[in-house]
Amino acid sequence: MAKFYHVLNYGCQMNESDAEHYAGQLKELDYTYTGDVRQADVVVVNTCCIRESAELKILGKIGELKHVKAQHPGQIICVTGCMAQKDGEALLKKYPQIDLLLGTSYVNSFKDVIRDYLEGHRKGVYTSLEVQSSEFEGQRVRESGFSAWVPIMYGCNNFCTYCIVPYVRGRERSRSIANILEEVRAAVAEGYTEITLLGQNVDSYGKDFLRNHEEEKLTSVTAAAGLISDEALRKEPFAALLRAVDQVPGVERIHFMSSHPRDMTEEVIKAVAEGTHLCEHFHVALQSGSDRILKAMNRGYTGERFLELIQMIRKYVPKASITTDIIVGFPGETEEDFAATCKLVEEAKFDSAFTFIYSKRSGTPAARMDDQVPEDVKHARLEALMQVQNNRSLCINRRLEGETLEVMAEGPTEKDPDTWSGRTRTGKLVLWPQQEAAEIRPGQLVQIKIESGQTWLLKGRRVR
Ligand code: SAH
Ligand code: SF4
Ligand code: F3S
């Protein structure tokens, strides 16, 4: 009898990538995807705990699954990812409908855990952070038909004082360059032309190998053969990796995220400037424009240093889009600190920004700091900051009116099948009328003349 699985994913791109890997392993165990959670024999809830709002949403969903499971005896509910890592056993006690709890370092061993469960039907909690294979094995079921996530490193060593990620994802572990190139080549062979290299701090790629005397994981010439010199790999592993991926035949577009303003180098920016397929988009999280708050956040740069980096990007890659993340209401943030953030946002001229209200994460240093900012103040600051950024985004996007841009088509919009959406190399969303479905497929590169630049998107029409 056919067996079905369903995956519910929350959180960042790294989680999306992990979810594809969970799905891949279920496929290897002969499960088939179903869009209907009620039909699923195995349900995976891949969780995030970056902010309290994310957790509340997920807990609501896990609550609902109790009723789904009541109608489907024998259904296996697996809760995976960052919240599972953080709360472990406590989650299982509170939600007895959960059968398996897997922390973030079990992504590669999911198949074995399921097999064990099928034999003994015993609930299990797997949250050791020791089982850390950073090499990717097995298959994936990718969500997109043309765009592929490729993690280059896992974990984070930065311990920004507000952030839970280092506690739930463990220390930085890079994947060997051979393993990364193998996945890129395999993806291209399956028809994927867009590659996004993922890591919490991509500029740290490979530094763990250099520290641990595992240089061969960077310089295994057989894999990188002819693509890049061993010396370049040893000197600036991330920049060299970018140049190597750029040379893989068949790759059309390469993106990477996230970059840390403290660690991004001139060499990385030059690699983008000189590359063919490396896209002109930099996501560099500012977090705050106040030096005092940046220090309390343990970010390792000042507002001035951040602006220098922005200038350097604009010097080498004048057409680059630059996006960012900002937190308002970090403990102790005064009106003056917040004004400094708004000022810096004006000066940096970001294409867009993800803005967040600080959320207290227990176990992190910031959660224990005095002067937590009241909720209403945080909300007012978020509104004000979004206004500043929205005005800028609109202004930048308006300037693109009249230009013809290369757009990678994604598919018809949900609202209107005759309108397609896609992305520019700089990551901007573009909509255009597309009546002849036969003339286009997802992943295709088309030329769109921009007619209207708006705050969140561009609208245009197809030319040629
Ligand atoms: N490693 C990446 C992304 C980290 S999570 C980076 O450093 O760029 C994505 C964003 O969530 C962060 O950049 C930060 O802006 C936000 N974030 C992290 N912890 C948060 C918290 N406790 N409250 C509010 N926002 C937070
Ligand atoms: Fe969190 Fe900072 Fe690491 Fe990003 S760099 S994941 S914000 S600790
Ligand atoms: Fe969330 Fe974990 Fe990503 S906490 S943002 S899913 S690394």
Side-chain angles (χ1 to χ4, degrees):
M1 212 170 71
K3 300 181 295 180
F4 295 97
Y5 76 88
H6 185 82
V7 180
L8 290 155
N9 188 56
Y10 298 88
C12 61
Q13 290 86 351
M14 189 59 90
N15 249 26
E16 288 181 28
S17 167
D18 287 349
E20 293 180 348
H21 202 182
Y22 288 124
Q25 290 170 77
L26 287 167
K27 201 173 155 204
E28 284 175 30
L29 292 172
D30 291 330
Y31 285 85
T32 308
Y33 173 75
T34 173
D36 181 0
V37 68
R38 290 169 306 184
Q39 193 192 19
D41 300 286
V42 175
V43 180
V44 178
V45 188
N46 195 31
T47 62
C48 170
C49 58
I50 196 84
R51 284 169 288 273
E52 193 186 12
S53 52
E55 288 194 317
L56 293 176
K57 195 160 85 184
I58 296 164
L59 292 177
K61 195 63 182 179
I62 296 175
E64 277 173 34
L65 288 178
K66 185 175 176 183
H67 308 295
V68 175
K69 187 168 169 162
Q71 302 296 317
H72 188 146
Q75 185 176 57
I76 307 171
I77 298 184
C78 311
V79 175
T80 59
C82 295
M83 196 163 83
Q85 181 68 50
K86 179 165 78 70
D87 294 338
E89 196 85 43
L91 215 50
L92 195 83
K93 284 217 177 89
K94 196 151 171 232
Y95 298 91
Q97 62 268 40
I98 300 172
D99 298 292
L100 290 169
L101 242 151
L102 276 83
T104 54
S105 61
Y106 286 82
V107 183
N108 274 318
S109 9
F110 181 54
K111 200 161 79 171
D112 300 331
V113 170
I114 290 279
R115 270 208 204 103
D116 274 0
Y117 183 86
L118 289 173
E119 270 173 25
H121 289 272
R122 272 185 303 276
K123 289 185 183 245
V125 177
Y126 302 84
T127 48
S128 159
L129 274 176
E130 299 300 308
V131 207
Q132 296 177 336
S133 164
S134 58
E135 302 298 67
F136 175 85
E137 296 139 28
Q139 57 169 296
R140 273 173 188 277
V141 176
R142 296 194 190 271
E143 271 291 308
S144 159
F146 58 90
S147 183
W149 304 122
V150 176
I152 61 167
M153 59 187 299
Y154 302 94
C156 181
N157 288 359
N158 286 317
F159 291 95
C160 303
T161 54
Y162 50 81
C163 185
I164 195 77
V165 172
Y167 304 91
V168 293
R169 290 260 171 192
R171 294 296 67 73
E172 284 172 3
R173 287 114 40 216
S174 300
R175 275 174 81 181
S176 70
I177 194 156
N179 196 231
I180 294 170
L181 290 175
E182 195 181 297
E183 189 180 353
V184 172
R185 289 192 181 112
V188 170
E190 288 171 31
Y192 291 86
T193 51
E194 183 173 61
I195 303 290
T196 303
L197 305 175
L198 295 177
Q200 298 300 342
N201 179 10
V202 288
D203 305 283
S204 283
Y205 173 74
K207 289 182 187 167
D208 49 335
F209 294 153
L210 299 179
R211 270 195 308 270
N212 302 338
H213 307 289
E214 297 175 312
E215 286 190 11
E216 71 286 353
K217 293 194 174 161
L218 285 173
T219 57
S220 57
V221 245
T222 38
L227 294 182
I228 209 82
S229 75
D230 286 0
E231 195 198 341
L233 276 161
R234 270 194 293 264
K235 199 156 153 252
E236 285 229 22
F238 180 56
L241 175 71
L242 285 177
R243 292 182 193 272
V245 177
D246 193 30
Q247 291 171 53
V248 174
V251 174
E252 286 285 358
R253 285 185 176 185
I254 304 153
H255 307 271
F256 55 92
M257 65 191 325
S258 291
S259 305
H260 195 301
R262 182 198 60 211
D263 298 334
M264 186 185 250
T265 62
E266 188 167 8
E267 180 52 24
V268 165
I269 301 169
K270 272 171 138 173
V272 174
E274 290 161 16
T276 311
H277 306 288
L278 294 164
C279 289
E280 302 75 23
H281 174 207
F282 295 83
H283 183 75
V284 245
L286 167 65
Q287 311 299 6
S288 169
S290 151
D291 289 349
R292 206 175 62 80
I293 297 293
L294 285 170
K295 190 151 195 262
M297 286 176 160
N298 188 30
R299 291 290 289 176
Y301 54 88
T302 59
E304 196 184 334
R305 164 83 186 90
F306 186 90
L307 283 176
E308 281 166 16
L309 180 69
I310 299 294
Q311 276 160 12
M312 203 197 302
I313 294 174
R314 301 218 189 274
K315 181 177 102 184
Y316 284 106
V317 194
K319 293 221 157 186
S321 76
I322 305 179
T323 57
T324 199
D325 292 351
I326 301 167
I327 298 175
V328 298
F330 183 84
E333 185 188 72
T334 61
E335 282 302 323
E336 220 182 336
D337 294 317
F338 177 64
T341 299
C342 292
K343 182 162 175 274
L344 211 141
V345 166
E346 289 277 15
E347 286 169 355
K349 299 189 174 66
F350 296 114
D351 289 77
S352 67
F354 295 100
T355 45
F356 305 107
I357 288 184
Y358 168 72
S359 169
K360 207 169 164 178
R361 305 285 68 208
S362 84
T364 63
R368 297 186 293 274
M369 289 179 188
D370 298 333
D371 299 333
Q372 297 286 331
V373 177
E375 283 305 313
D376 55 337
V377 175
K378 290 198 240 182
H379 278 92
R381 287 185 187 162
L382 183 78
E383 285 298 317
L385 180 62
M386 281 169 70
Q387 203 52 53
V388 171
Q389 180 54 48
N390 289 352
N391 292 342
R392 173 62 61 192
S393 300
L394 180 62
C395 179
I396 292 176
N397 288 345
R398 279 225 174 117
R399 251 185 276 141
L400 293 171
E401 289 173 4
E403 281 196 35
T404 297
L405 303 176
E406 180 200 270
V407 172
M408 188 173 270
E410 287 180 354
T413 55
E414 257 174 45
K415 262 204 217 142
D416 172 13
D418 289 337
T419 300
W420 270 56
S421 71
R423 301 242 169 214
T424 62
R425 281 174 65 102
T426 54
K428 289 180 194 273
L429 184 65
V430 184
L431 303 182
W432 69 96
Q434 177 70 48
Q435 273 86 18
E436 299 294 324
E439 278 182 16
I440 196 157
R441 60 174 168 75
Q444 189 175 327
L445 294 175
V446 293
Q447 297 292 324
I448 304 287
K449 182 160 186 200
I450 304 304
E451 291 171 334
S452 152
Q454 306 180 0
T455 308
W456 303 110
L457 52 85
L458 308 167
K459 285 182 174 172
R461 67 187 159 79
R462 228 176 129 178
V463 289
R464 267 169 275 164

